[in-house]
Structure formats: structure tokens, C-alpha cells
Amino acid sequence: MTTNSDMAAVVDALRAGDRFLVTSHEHPDGDALGSLLAMHLALGQLGKDSVMALAGQAPLPGEYRFLQLDEHGLLRSLPKDAAERVLVAVDCAQETRLTDARLLDATVIVNVDHHHDNTRFGTVDLVVADASSTAEVLADVFSELGVSLTPEIAEALYAGLVTDTGRFQYSNTTPKALRLAADLLEAGADIQRIFQGVYESMQFAKVKLLARALDRATLYHDGHVVVSYLLRGDFGEVGAAEPYSEGIIDVLRAVEGAELAALIREPPRDVSPARKVSLRSSDDRVDVSAIARLSGGGGHRQAAGFSSDLRQARPGCRHTPRRSAR
């Protein structure tokens, strides 16, 4: 349960530190990337020495190019002084989802998130489970710190807000989230540019990858569950990078009558884990984060995921599909 003391502890840690390393989870989405940039810009406004880092070679989702993370100095490997900096992890529910385990060597870890199953791995933690997004949590943190909402910060926060609420259509769209959207618009966020960047700039290879997932979609349990998969070879054959699979699960989620959607995909690189599974539910009674936690994953009640090296179903898990959803 979040308390005022959680907010105070995080604000104090951000005020007290001089050098920061801002990061988020592997395979970042709009809330992760928007929150990453917003925190970095806010620390810079406060006169702090801040760097952003997401370790790894996998390309970032192309739909967030408008955030211009590279131009803002995003590092894809850890700086040499990483352990000496205050680590700020945004939108990361578990320490195991950080892009490099060495990030945990930091003496002070500030953990800001909105996932209800966050493991509270920080030295100080601010986890607001009823917030629409980590971007919403950061907006409150910035207010406490006296950070001005510049157009750049506003756009970064809006990117996190609009994507995690599904364009303000998911059940986590609260009056507070809508009021924040208005505040960000007033602060100079170019919402048309954000919309075009996120929703109207789909690479053709991603369209081809989506087509394969839709062709394989199958209904189970009288149409209440829809499942599809992507094989490792699919990525190379259509010229798609790993992040191109992001968002496909949300198309499956929209199938009429389906209360649970699952997308199983093999990463295009022959590495462990062998499978990544994305889960979505359209019924709040179905808590997919509970399913994900059974395999070491997590997330939200209606959006979660996990990784696995299992290559076949466990005994008793076989079901006969009703029909193909095409």
C-alpha cells in the first residue's frame, strides 16, 4: 500500500543525490520509454548529472522514435561508474526484468512503478498500484519536486499515459488520468505527433508479422480464450526485429467473446529463454498477472507476461481448439 511517506522518501532521495542512472525493464513499452525520458529530463532540470541506460543490443520499438532517445543520450550499455550512481528504475515490476543484473550493485535504488505485483526491490519504493501508468506516478513526483512540465517532459509523460490506458479505453482510465492528459496538453505536448508516431507508423514488416500471428490464432474453451504464436524463423522471413511483435497481443485481445488472449513467441535470437508469453484479459475477473507469476513473470490484472524454456505443454494442459479465428 502506498503512503505519503513513500512519496516523501523518493522525493528526498532524488533531491539528495547528485549523479543518477535512469533505467527501465527489458523489452520496454511506451510507459517505460516515456517515463525513462521524463525522469531523465526532470533530473536535468534540477541540475543533476543524469544518464539513461537500457543495456542490450535488441532495437527499441520503432513507434517511439519520436521521443528521440538517442539524441537525449540513451546508452545501450552501462557507464563505467554505474555502481556509483543512484539507480532510478521506472516502470519495472521486478529486479529480474532489469536489462543488466549489475544495475543492482548501486548503493541506492529508487523504484517508481505502478504494477501491483512490484517486488519493492528498491532502497526506497513508490508503487502506486491504482495509477493508470508510471507516467502518472511521475507527474506527482515532479509536482513535489517543483519540476516544470516543459513540452518535452509533457510529451514523454503523455506517451506513457496514452499507451498504458490503450488510448484512454482500458479500465485503468480514471478521472485523474484524463485530468493529467489535459494538463500535459496545456503544457505543450503535441498529441497529434505522438498519435502518429505510436499508432500510424507501423513498419511493413510488422504488418507481415501480425498477419502470421492472426493466421495462426485459434479459439479455445468455447471461444473464451484465443491463442497464437510466432516462430523464430518468422522474424527473419518477413524482415522483422524482435520489438515488432509488441502490440500484436492487443489485436488478439479484441476478438469478440475472448476473455483471455495469449501470444507465444520465440525470440529471433537462439538464446534463453526459449519462449516469451504475453497475456491479456478483457474481463477484470481474469487476473492474468496471477497466471504469469506462476512462471516467474508478472504485470497487471489485465496485461502481463512471462518467459519460459519449456518446449512442450505440461501433462494435462492439452485442449482441443474450437475453430480457427481468422
Side-chain angles (χ1 to χ4, degrees):
M1 186 176 187
T2 305
T3 65
N4 290 335
S5 61
D6 296 332
M7 173 67 79
V10 165
V11 168
D12 288 346
L14 295 175
R15 282 179 175 151
D18 294 316
R19 299 160 64 216
F20 293 86
L21 172 57
V22 188
T23 193
S24 189
H25 59 78
E26 59 182 352
H27 309 299
D29 56 8
D31 194 22
L33 295 174
S35 296
L36 179 81
L37 178 58
M39 176 58 80
H40 172 66
L41 293 173
L43 289 170
Q45 188 181 127
L46 294 171
K48 309 290 186 178
D49 176 356
S50 172
V51 295
M52 298 181 291
L54 290 172
Q57 300 302 314
L60 300 179
E63 55 264 40
Y64 300 109
R65 283 191 297 266
F66 70 91
L67 290 173
Q68 298 181 315
L69 289 163
D70 290 339
E71 287 81 352
H72 286 289
L74 176 66
L75 304 176
R76 300 310 308 274
S77 60
L78 300 190
K80 293 181 180 179
D81 63 347
E84 301 168 16
R85 292 176 176 267
V86 175
L87 179 70
V88 183
V90 294
D91 199 48
C92 188
Q94 295 106 18
E95 58 271 39
T96 55
R97 294 209 65 200
L98 292 170
T99 56
D100 192 314
R102 292 174 296 171
L103 289 164
L104 296 171
D105 293 337
T107 304
V108 178
I109 299 176
V110 178
N111 170 28
V112 182
D113 188 31
H114 74 124
H115 294 88
H116 72 283
D117 59 352
N118 187 286
T119 57
R120 271 73 173 178
F121 59 88
T123 310
V124 292
D125 305 283
L126 178 59
V127 180
V128 187
D130 59 355
S132 65
S133 55
T134 298
E136 181 182 310
V137 181
L138 287 183
D140 289 338
V141 173
F142 296 168
S143 178
E144 292 291 323
L145 287 168
V147 171
S148 299
L149 288 180
T150 64
E152 277 189 315
I153 292 176
E155 287 195 1
L157 292 177
Y158 190 89
L161 179 64
V162 72
T163 53
D164 251 30
T165 59
R167 289 180 270 186
F168 306 108
Q169 297 177 84
Y170 296 162
S171 61
N172 61 342
T173 304
T174 62
K176 181 178 180 180
L178 293 173
R179 285 193 291 268
L180 175 58
D183 291 342
L184 298 175
L185 180 59
E186 289 180 342
D190 186 341
I191 62 174
Q192 183 179 18
R193 189 171 79 95
I194 296 170
F195 179 82
Q196 289 176 336
V198 177
Y199 299 109
E200 294 184 340
S201 62
M202 187 182 295
Q203 301 90 341
F204 186 67
K206 182 169 183 174
V207 175
K208 300 290 284 184
L209 199 64
L210 171 62
R212 295 200 176 197
L214 293 180
D215 186 59
R216 294 169 180 154
T218 304
L219 290 174
Y220 296 84
H221 295 291
D222 296 323
H224 295 297
V225 177
V226 58
V227 179
S228 189
Y229 63 92
L230 290 169
L231 301 175
R232 178 169 296 117
D234 292 330
F235 291 85
E237 289 168 13
V238 302
E242 187 170 358
Y244 287 23
S245 62
E246 295 296 326
I248 292 177
I249 182 64
D250 295 306
V251 179
L252 297 175
R253 178 186 194 173
V255 172
E256 182 181 10
E259 297 172 3
L260 186 151
L263 176 67
I264 306 163
R265 62 192 189 279
E266 293 180 332
R269 296 163 291 120
D270 188 11
V271 295
S272 180
R275 307 283 187 276
K276 294 180 182 295
V277 183
S278 296
L279 302 171
R280 297 290 186 273
S281 71
S282 56
D283 188 329
D284 192 54
R285 295 172 299 176
V286 181
D287 183 358
V288 292
S289 70
I291 299 172
R293 285 196 297 274
L294 293 174
S295 296
H300 304 292
R301 288 186 62 85
Q302 293 185 278
F306 65 92
S307 300
S308 175
D309 279 314
L310 290 175
R311 295 186 177 274
Q312 61 183 20
R314 294 172 181 170
C317 291
R318 299 185 65 179
H319 303 284
T320 301
R322 191 186 79 177
R323 61 180 174 84
S324 179
R326 298 185 182 179

